Amino acid sequence: MAENRHEQLGLTDEQVLEIYRVMLTARKIDERMWLLNRAGKIPFVISCQGQEAAQVGAAFALDRNKDYALPYYRDMGVVLAFGMTIKELMLSAFAKAEDPNSGGRQMPGHFGQKKNRIVTGSSPVTTQVPHAVGIALAGKMEKKDFVSLVTFGEGSSNQGDFHEGANFAGVHKLPVIFMVENNKYAISIPVSRQVACEKVSDRAQGYGMPGYTVDGNDPLAVYEVVKDAAERGRNGEGPTLIEAVSYRLTAHSSDDDDRTYREKEEVDEARKKDSIITFGNYLRGLGILTEEVEKEINEEITDLVNEATDYAENAPYAEPESALKHVYKE
Ligand SMILES: Cc1ncc(C[n+]2csc(CCOP(=O)(O)OP(=O)(O)O)c2C)c(N)n1
Ligand SMILES: [Mg+2]
């Protein structure tokens, strides 16, 4: 038998299987979206592929009935874990009126859903960081004990918004978890051309908070460090910077051709560490993901994705007359 690593984190077999299910759901939705895009049915895809472990591991370490998520465009795993449904994600991909994120008005990946405390972001990267800090400040002032999780790419960690937000949160000891999803690229720019320090987490010291770099392909490693960060936040000990290192398995978006700036061999090598495979193997090794369970989960998710695709494709677009809704006072 393989070593059981989740028990010592206080996770049950059911919980780790659920983590895997959400990761696989994100992957399968994403794969479907690429097919729909290439078939000319949806305009744009920006993938989570390669980052599911970090996203779902982090979300499961939070109190998903209380904490706030300020995700970025790749965070399908985060928003699924926070309660957004497959159908809702598909409605967004098809830009239909019923899309809960924006009624089909925003580009896909601009996640926002008030009832699940998923806070909508803007297209300029990293603007969600000061928002997360503001939410944490409000929580502290109102003596509530929630934390806010804000995620962004390593490229985005070079934006002023990150540095301003991190500094303010450090000074005021706010319950914010800054999680950098380091997928090694910012569109065509490799990480070696983005940051001069060795690890993005090294930056934490400058803002008076602890910084950790963890394997972003391992949901348990991410879970552990986010769990600790949430506890620190709730205890009034302030923010934490976490860097989850993985690899972007797809092109930047459906409008990008990554063959122009990276070798196929590099991508193939990274695929060997794909968390869907490696975490699946961990669960198989412990007899949790048996052949029977795996077949059942796969069929279940495929059915749900099929259903969601059909529903969203046939759903109506917003009425043209509603174009100015939320723009001017009504
Ligand atoms: C302020 C700003 N500058 C540039 C862009 C264009 N842009 C969109 S995504 C992106 C790359 C971001 O890279 P990273 O933060 O590493 O996230 P990743 O896409 O790799 O997950 C850029 C430059 C933008 N949206 N906003
Ligand atoms: Mg990146």
Side-chain angles (χ1 to χ4, degrees):
M1 259 274 169
E3 190 203 345
N4 184 323
R5 292 170 45 234
H6 61 270
E7 210 166 49
Q8 60 214 60
L9 297 174
L11 286 166
T12 62
D13 291 358
E14 288 70 37
Q15 284 172 312
V16 282
L17 197 58
E18 190 54 26
I19 289 176
Y20 177 76
R21 183 199 296 273
V22 179
M23 286 166 53
L24 190 64
T25 302
R27 175 65 58 93
K28 281 186 181 284
I29 299 171
D30 205 284
E31 287 174 348
R32 172 62 56 82
M33 285 179 176
W34 278 91
L35 291 178
L36 291 167
N37 174 265
R38 293 321 194 215
K41 292 192 172 192
I42 62 171
F44 186 73
V45 188
I46 190 134
S47 272
C48 62
Q49 292 189 41
Q51 296 170 224
E52 296 92 338
Q55 297 169 358
V56 180
F60 269 68
L62 299 177
D63 184 335
R64 286 172 284 148
N65 292 312
K66 182 161 73 181
D67 295 332
Y68 282 79
L70 291 96
Y72 87 114
Y73 45 80
R74 296 198 195 280
D75 279 320
M76 193 125 75
V78 172
V79 299
L80 278 170
F82 265 76
M84 197 174 287
T85 66
I86 306 175
K87 200 186 261 183
E88 289 169 337
L89 286 161
M90 277 297 172
L91 283 161
S92 158
F94 279 94
K96 295 299 177 73
E98 226 187 309
D99 156 35
N101 298 283
S102 71
R105 287 165 169 80
Q106 285 259 53
M107 280 177 82
H110 289 64
F111 305 115
Q113 193 171 34
K114 195 171 181 182
K115 70 171 181 187
N116 286 319
R117 292 163 324 289
I118 300 167
V119 182
T120 192
S122 306
S123 287
V125 297
T126 338
T127 46
Q128 70 275 25
V129 170
H131 298 166
V133 174
I135 287 169
L137 174 64
K140 187 175 176 174
M141 289 167 75
E142 292 174 3
K143 302 206 178 349
K144 297 198 172 134
D145 75 337
F146 63 76
V147 303
S148 62
L149 168 75
V150 60
T151 53
F152 44 100
E154 81 294 340
S156 302
S157 77
N158 301 308
Q159 287 286 123
D161 300 78
F162 163 69
H163 298 280
E164 294 169 37
N167 188 57
F168 192 90
V171 168
H172 296 282
K173 292 209 177 301
L174 302 179
V176 190
I177 302 167
F178 300 91
M179 187 170 91
V180 178
E181 295 184 31
N182 181 351
N183 61 8
K184 311 269 179 71
Y185 284 88
I187 310 188
S188 59
I189 308 298
V191 66
S192 59
R193 302 292 300 275
Q194 297 177 48
V195 284
C197 49
E198 194 192 328
K199 293 180 270 169
V200 177
S201 64
D202 290 342
R203 294 175 159 178
Q205 197 187 358
Y207 303 117
M209 65 178 90
Y212 303 101
T213 293
V214 290
D215 180 358
N217 287 315
D218 179 359
L220 299 180
V222 178
Y223 175 90
E224 185 173 14
V225 73
V226 174
K227 189 101 187 154
D228 281 352
E231 209 172 294
R232 290 188 66 249
R234 274 187 244 284
N235 289 340
E237 293 170 63
T240 306
L241 175 63
I242 294 164
E243 175 189 20
V245 184
S246 63
Y247 189 87
R248 197 190 72 211
L249 295 174
T250 64
H252 173 74
S253 75
S254 53
D255 292 342
D256 172 46
D257 181 357
D258 60 334
R259 291 171 304 184
T260 61
Y261 56 83
R262 63 182 185 182
E263 300 295 330
K264 184 179 175 299
E265 289 70 30
E266 184 186 298
V267 184
D268 289 345
E269 204 47 45
R271 280 196 184 280
K272 292 181 191 161
K273 296 185 196 148
D274 180 356
S275 65
I276 301 293
I277 299 169
T278 53
F279 192 55
N281 283 340
Y282 169 79
L283 298 175
R284 283 179 203 104
L286 290 170
I288 296 170
L289 189 64
T290 59
E291 251 175 64
E292 197 189 334
V293 171
E294 186 160 10
K295 187 166 173 278
E296 199 181 291
I297 291 182
N298 267 286
E299 285 174 2
E300 229 172 75
I301 300 173
T302 304
D303 285 351
L304 289 170
V305 173
N306 285 341
E307 217 175 279
T309 307
D310 290 344
Y311 182 89
E313 188 170 7
N314 293 312
Y317 287 108
E319 296 289 335
E321 295 73 30
S322 73
L324 297 181
K325 197 170 176 209
H326 305 309
V327 177
Y328 298 105
K329 186 168 185 295
E330 279 162 27

